[in-house]
Amino acid sequence: RRATESRHNSEICPALNSPSQDIEEVIENSKKAGLSALLAVAEHAGEFDKIISLSQRFPGFIFPCLGVHPVQSVSPEQQRGASLQDLDAALPIIEKYKDHLVAIGEVGLDFTPRFVSNDTDKESQRQVLIRQAQIAKELDLPLNVHSRSAGRPTIHLLKEQGVERALLHAFDGKPSVAMEGVKAGYFFSIPPSIIRSEQKQKLVKQLPLENICLETDSPALGPEKQVRNEPKNISISAEYISKIKGVSLEEVMEVTTQNALRLFPKLKLAIRP
């Protein structure tokens, strides 16, 4: 998680979906912006090898997270809720690379009506999340969690499963629901889209800084709609949180960095005081 002068920051972004000829520039811009590490987060088994190869291409800077997202693509036009079959395809690869992972993710629930049409679909997503929560516990790894239109059921499920370390990314629920996660010790990461999201602004007002991390969610959730987001934009999140909280940018960078290190201890390899 990052910002302008700091060199002690990391940030979370799904699978750096940049064309290969562009990736070097994206990484270079990230480093110039002060980032010390990136978390590359998978959404389905088909991305796992790409995530691992990125982490091997940029060792000590890109760190891999593998998991099955609650929404899976059938085609560019069609998406559906995740099933246990999706997880079956992912498990052997997670097992193969388990020692390299810094988190299991992106996992979670997504009850957006176009992805779930009945309770059976919701239950399928729950079972996929429960199994991945168990895997994270077995591997002593945190969870990187998606919870669109499902904030309360996601937090309740995590608590029921005894999950102790979780990052709820781009949380879209009410601040009162988020505070249930705070009581459980969970963290919430804030993307640059906060500058155009009243909901995210209200969320940050309520959340203790000690439970906030920074993310870009590149290539989505940038400062402008429909414009590709990049990790370098992490400074926008930090600056806006500073403004809302009435604390210095330096304090936001320092506290969110320490939060990230508590949540993802393997990052200490890249981020030294």
Side-chain angles (χ1 to χ4, degrees):
R1 318 192 152 170
R2 163 329 190 202
T4 31
E5 294 85 18
S6 173
R7 293 284 153 187
H8 305 306
N9 286 286
S10 69
E11 103 76 3
I12 301 153
C13 58
L16 290 173
N17 291 321
S18 304
S20 54
Q21 71 270 21
D22 187 30
I23 191 73
E24 297 278 356
E25 186 182 351
V26 170
I27 297 301
E28 190 54 38
N29 288 342
S30 303
K31 291 179 177 178
K32 283 178 183 170
L35 282 116
S36 299
L38 296 175
L39 268 63
V41 183
E43 295 187 346
H44 56 83
E47 289 182 328
F48 287 8
D49 286 336
K50 177 173 134 184
I51 296 276
I52 295 296
S53 67
L54 269 174
S55 69
Q56 292 169 342
R57 187 172 163 192
F58 300 98
F61 187 71
I62 293 182
F63 291 81
C65 310
L66 301 185
V68 173
H69 190 281
V71 177
Q72 297 287 297
S73 293
V74 178
S75 68
E77 297 80 34
Q78 188 185 357
Q79 295 177 303
R80 56 164 175 79
S83 70
L84 286 169
Q85 286 76 17
D86 298 314
L87 187 56
D88 288 342
L91 291 177
I93 315 175
I94 291 174
E95 174 65 25
K96 179 180 177 182
Y97 292 116
K98 62 186 180 184
D99 295 335
H100 300 275
L101 304 182
V102 298
I104 298 296
E106 184 170 329
V107 305
L109 301 176
D110 191 319
F111 292 167
T112 307
R114 69 180 181 275
F115 303 135
V116 293
S117 55
N118 52 51
D119 287 342
T120 304
D121 291 344
K122 290 182 179 181
E123 185 55 30
S124 178
Q125 284 191 27
R126 283 193 192 96
Q127 291 305 316
V128 172
L129 176 54
I130 287 168
R131 182 68 190 105
Q132 292 186 104
Q134 291 168 344
I135 292 165
K137 266 198 276 190
E138 288 161 15
L139 298 179
D140 191 26
L141 291 172
L143 285 173
N144 186 11
V145 184
H146 171 105
S147 57
R148 186 166 50 193
S149 301
R152 183 172 268 115
T154 302
I155 288 172
H156 285 183
L157 188 150
L158 295 175
K159 288 163 69 175
E160 282 167 12
Q161 293 302 311
V163 172
E164 294 180 356
R165 288 189 292 150
L167 178 82
L168 286 112
H169 103 90
F171 189 77
D172 71 354
K174 293 178 180 175
S176 59
V177 176
M179 294 309 288
E180 294 180 38
V182 167
K183 285 177 190 164
Y186 302 153
F187 295 88
F188 293 78
S189 55
I190 308 299
S193 61
I194 185 174
I195 68 169
R196 53 185 172 86
S197 168
E198 191 178 343
Q199 178 267 334
K200 295 280 182 297
Q201 294 162 17
K202 287 178 178 175
L203 183 66
V204 165
K205 274 182 189 165
Q206 292 290 317
L207 288 172
L209 190 55
E210 290 68 28
N211 292 81
I212 293 177
C213 291
L214 309 181
E215 68 165 323
T216 61
D217 200 47
S218 304
L221 300 186
E224 297 175 74
K225 265 189 174 180
Q226 309 303 322
V227 176
R228 187 184 76 166
N229 197 13
E230 286 190 26
K232 68 179 181 181
N233 289 333
I234 203 75
S235 56
I236 294 167
S237 294
E239 287 158 7
Y240 213 89
I241 291 167
S242 162
K243 189 170 118 182
I244 289 174
K245 288 292 194 192
V247 299
S248 69
L249 179 57
E250 289 69 24
E251 184 176 349
V252 171
M253 292 192 297
E254 178 59 30
V255 174
T256 56
T257 297
Q258 292 310 313
N259 293 344
L261 293 175
R262 282 209 308 279
L263 183 59
F264 305 108
K266 289 187 180 180
L267 289 183
K268 289 174 184 171
L269 298 169
I271 303 176
R272 296 180 177 88

